[in-house]
Amino acid sequence: MNALTVLASSGGDEFQAPGPEIFDFPPIFDGAPSWLTKPVLFAVVGSLLVCVFFWFAFAKPKLVPRGAQNLGEVGYMFVRDQVARPFLGKNTERWMPLLMSLFFLIWVWNFMAVFPVIQFPIASHIAFPAVLAGFVYVLKVYLGIRHQGAKYFTNMLPKGLPWPVYILLVPIEYLSTFIIAPFTHAVRLFANMFAGHTILAFFSLVGFWFLFEKPTVAGFGVGIIGVIVTILMTTLELLIQFLQAFLFALLAAMYIQSGLEADH
């Protein structure tokens, strides 16, 4: 047995580390459909919060911004300058509504992991990032065919190589573009939120168990360490939540541009 199990068992019951079961939720009330769970509910709540905030921010804009408008403009300029313009250039303004929505929706969903009462990152359920990544993927292919025609499927290949090289290169490039890219787009967000929530749940449970549930002299130090690490990991998780929203929107901008114009 590991050290945690030994210390916990001295108080009677063994310490049980949290596992994948912390991501399973029953329907929110008896008789509800099986899909109507806490993550689904707060996914909708997060979407509404983003819509309501930007409605208040920009419904009646003033020349000198204040309050919600000021925050909204800061967010807009960040997404425009750091996410959209580096890839989209002259097409930036056209795609800002989508990129703004993706960035702030994912950020709010991620932030719910550390928000009191909710304490669950919506994107740690693979269905949510998969739907968003799938939408971006379909949009990318649609834009590619619309703007480049059939050449879209050849423009993504490097030019000027000996023809035998293409026998190996074509399937690799197509696999990367049409399978691996959308898969990693979704899994990167999901895996970070899943792992972060698991780590936070583990150390917070360590602190609670050894300080309150089964307090012992030997376990007191372990409980204190659990509390300290939980605080430190929460701070780190706040940064990761922001970065994952940023990276998801950044990749979305890159994929959209790859559909609008051929790579050079």
Side-chain angles (χ1 to χ4, degrees), residues 183-206:
F183 175 78
T184 56
H185 196 195
V187 169
R188 181 183 291 105
L189 173 59
F190 156 73
N192 276 276
M193 293 302 99
F194 183 94
H197 187 62
T198 302
I199 292 171
L200 284 178
F202 173 79
F203 283 106
S204 60
L205 183 59
V206 167

Side-chain angles (χ1 to χ4, degrees), residues 49-62:
L49 286 175
V50 173
C51 293
V52 169
F53 172 78
F54 283 105
W55 174 264
F56 277 108
F58 297 119
K60 296 180 180 179
K62 295 179 173 58

Side-chain angles (χ1 to χ4, degrees), residues 121-168:
I122 304 303
S124 66
H125 272 199
I126 185 61
F128 296 101
V131 168
L132 296 181
F135 172 77
V136 173
Y137 163 76
V138 171
L139 178 63
K140 175 187 74 169
V141 175
Y142 166 76
L143 292 173
I145 296 174
R146 179 180 178 182
H147 289 270
Q148 303 174 46
K151 288 186 177 181
Y152 170 66
F153 297 99
T154 57
N155 286 338
M156 64 184 64
L157 301 173
K159 306 298 188 293
L161 297 177
W163 72 263
V165 175
Y166 288 99
I167 299 175
L168 179 62

Side-chain angles (χ1 to χ4, degrees), residues 165-246:
V165 175
Y166 288 99
I167 299 175
L168 179 62
L169 184 62
V170 168
I172 293 176
E173 187 66 32
Y174 285 177
L175 178 66
S176 174
T177 301
F178 297 114
I179 305 287
I180 297 177
F183 175 78
T184 56
H185 196 195
V187 169
R188 181 183 291 105
L189 173 59
F190 156 73
N192 276 276
M193 293 302 99
F194 183 94
H197 187 62
T198 302
I199 292 171
L200 284 178
F202 173 79
F203 283 106
S204 60
L205 183 59
V206 167
F208 177 81
W209 179 274
F210 288 103
L211 290 178
F212 303 106
E213 186 71 16
K214 297 292 181 180
T216 63
V217 174
F220 181 78
V222 176
I224 293 296
I225 292 174
V227 172
I228 294 173
V229 174
T230 299
I231 295 172
L232 294 176
M233 289 302 301
T234 299
T235 304
L236 178 61
E237 189 68 8
L238 288 170
L239 175 62
I240 293 174
Q241 290 164 6
F242 171 81
L243 288 177
Q244 288 305 311
F246 173 73

Side-chain angles (χ1 to χ4, degrees), residues 21-38:
E21 69 277 357
I22 65 174
F23 297 92
D24 295 332
F25 292 91
I28 57 177
F29 59 86
D30 291 338
S34 59
W35 55 265
L36 188 55
T37 59
K38 177 180 176 180

